[in-house]
């Protein structure tokens, strides 16, 4: 069984440019999460999906960040325009029930904004 | 709101010895779960061990075990017979039972020395 697949693995962009990250969760996992992990820190939740519905996006900076999960499967996270402070690792995770099983994480996308 | 505190930013241990990583947390939930995740340089977050708060028995997974002190809100991880492959960042996390998400600590960088 394939794990959570994310792409790209690395991305370097200039500030003010747009960028998008893609995530394919584990088949059957209805819950999908996007986390941001700054250097030397723990991941912080950006948005949580239950199927195709965003049920918790309170930490998502909505002026520049957007996300979608079409058909309740794959998801994309977009930043437009990117700022220097957006440099981080963006992790996608999926779960059947995070309380019981925790998450299965992807390998993340390391974004560098220059 | 939940908080997780890991007070040891870095630790080292000699190969084959035992090391304990500390974690304290705060939650208003009555039913919650606790997790330790390992993040090697590959960035893949790997679930090490989980504990259900309503169970008094400490969880064990091979060389990994926890010391769960519910009253003190403490959840430490003990790694026995440390191996070079254990070198990684270790994150303590707690679930939010009602919100179905994980809150992470800031991590402890563990280095196993040959």
């Amino acid at each position: 069984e394939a794990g959570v697949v994310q792409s790209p693995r690395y991305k370097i962009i200039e500030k003010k440019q747009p960028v998008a990250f893609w995530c394919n969760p584990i088949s059957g996992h209805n819950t999908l999460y996007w986390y941001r992990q700054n250097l030397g820190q723990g991941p912080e939740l950006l948005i949580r999906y239950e199927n195709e519905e965003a049920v918790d996006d309170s930490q998502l900076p909505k002026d520049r960040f957007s996300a979608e999960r079409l058909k309740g499967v794959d998801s994309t996270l977009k930043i437009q325009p990117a700022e220097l402070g957006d440099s981080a690792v963006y992790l996608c995770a999926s779960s059947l029930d995070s309380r019981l099983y925790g998450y299965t994480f992807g390998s993340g996308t390391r974004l560098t904004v220059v | 709101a939940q908080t997780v505190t890991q007070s040891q930013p870095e630790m080292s241990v000699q190969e084959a010895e035992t090391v304990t990583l500390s974690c304290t947390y705060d939650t208003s939930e009555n039913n919650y779960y606790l997790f330790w995740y390992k993040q090697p340089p590959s960035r893949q977050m790997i679930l090490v061990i989980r504990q259900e708060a309503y169970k008094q028995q400490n969880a064990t997974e091979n060389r990994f075990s926890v010391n769960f002190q519910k009253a003190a809100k403490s959840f430490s991880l003990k790694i026995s017979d440390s191996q070079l492959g254990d070198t990684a960042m270790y994150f303590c996390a707690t679930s939010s039972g009602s919100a179905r998400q994980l809150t992470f600590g800031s991590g402890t960088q563990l280095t196993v020395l040959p």
Side-chain angles (χ1 to χ4, degrees):
Chain A
E1 177 186 87
V4 176
V5 180
Q6 289 189 249
S7 67
R9 187 153 174 79
Y10 300 92
K11 189 74 175 179
I12 300 175
I13 61 170
E14 295 183 344
K15 62 182 180 181
K16 299 185 181 180
Q17 294 302 305
V19 64
F21 314 123
W22 175 80
C23 174
N24 178 236
I26 290 177
S27 177
H29 283 193
N30 296 328
T31 309
L32 183 146
Y33 308 80
W34 282 102
Y35 273 79
R36 177 167 60 187
Q37 185 178 19
N38 292 316
L39 184 65
Q41 299 182 21
E44 295 179 332
L45 181 69
L46 289 174
I47 190 168
R48 172 170 67 97
Y49 281 92
E50 295 291 343
N51 298 305
E52 66 275 10
E53 181 181 0
V55 296
D56 184 357
D57 62 355
S58 58
Q59 303 301 314
L60 191 71
K62 298 181 183 61
D63 56 336
R64 299 183 299 106
F65 285 66
S66 64
E68 62 181 6
R69 190 183 183 194
L70 298 177
K71 300 181 180 179
V73 182
D74 292 3
S75 178
T76 57
L77 177 68
K78 298 178 182 178
I79 308 175
Q80 182 172 9
E83 298 179 352
L84 295 177
D86 296 331
S87 294
V89 173
Y90 291 83
L91 293 166
C92 179
S94 68
S95 179
L96 281 172
D97 187 329
S98 64
R99 296 167 298 175
L100 297 178
Y101 308 112
Y103 298 175
T104 301
F105 283 85
S107 296
T109 297
R110 181 180 296 280
L111 173 68
T112 302
V113 182
V114 297
Chain B
Q2 297 183 319
T3 59
V4 178
T5 302
Q6 293 179 250
S7 59
Q8 305 154 314
E10 297 179 356
M11 292 193 71
S12 62
V13 62
Q14 292 293 138
E15 192 175 8
E17 294 188 348
T18 296
V19 64
T20 298
L21 309 183
S22 301
C23 172
T24 58
Y25 62 93
D26 193 15
T27 179
S28 58
E29 302 278 340
N30 291 321
N31 185 22
Y32 55 93
Y33 297 78
L34 296 158
F35 304 86
W36 278 97
Y37 279 88
K38 167 185 176 181
Q39 187 178 42
S42 66
R43 299 200 306 261
Q44 184 89 41
M45 294 281 276
I46 301 165
L47 178 63
V48 174
I49 199 167
R50 60 181 286 272
Q51 173 81 40
E52 299 161 4
Y54 62 86
K55 287 189 176 180
Q56 293 186 342
Q57 185 175 4
N58 289 326
T60 299
E61 287 287 341
N62 300 314
R63 298 183 294 108
F64 299 88
S65 61
V66 299
N67 183 6
F68 176 44
Q69 302 289 329
K70 190 172 184 178
K73 295 185 177 178
S74 172
F75 184 61
S76 61
L77 175 69
K78 185 172 81 171
I79 305 174
S80 304
D81 186 23
S82 297
Q83 300 176 0
L84 296 178
D86 295 334
T87 293
M89 195 76 161
Y90 286 81
F91 291 96
C92 178
T94 181
S95 68
S96 169
S98 57
R100 298 166 60 88
Q101 68 184 57
L102 289 175
T103 300
F104 288 86
S106 56
T108 296
Q109 175 63 49
L110 175 68
T111 301
V112 180
L113 304 170

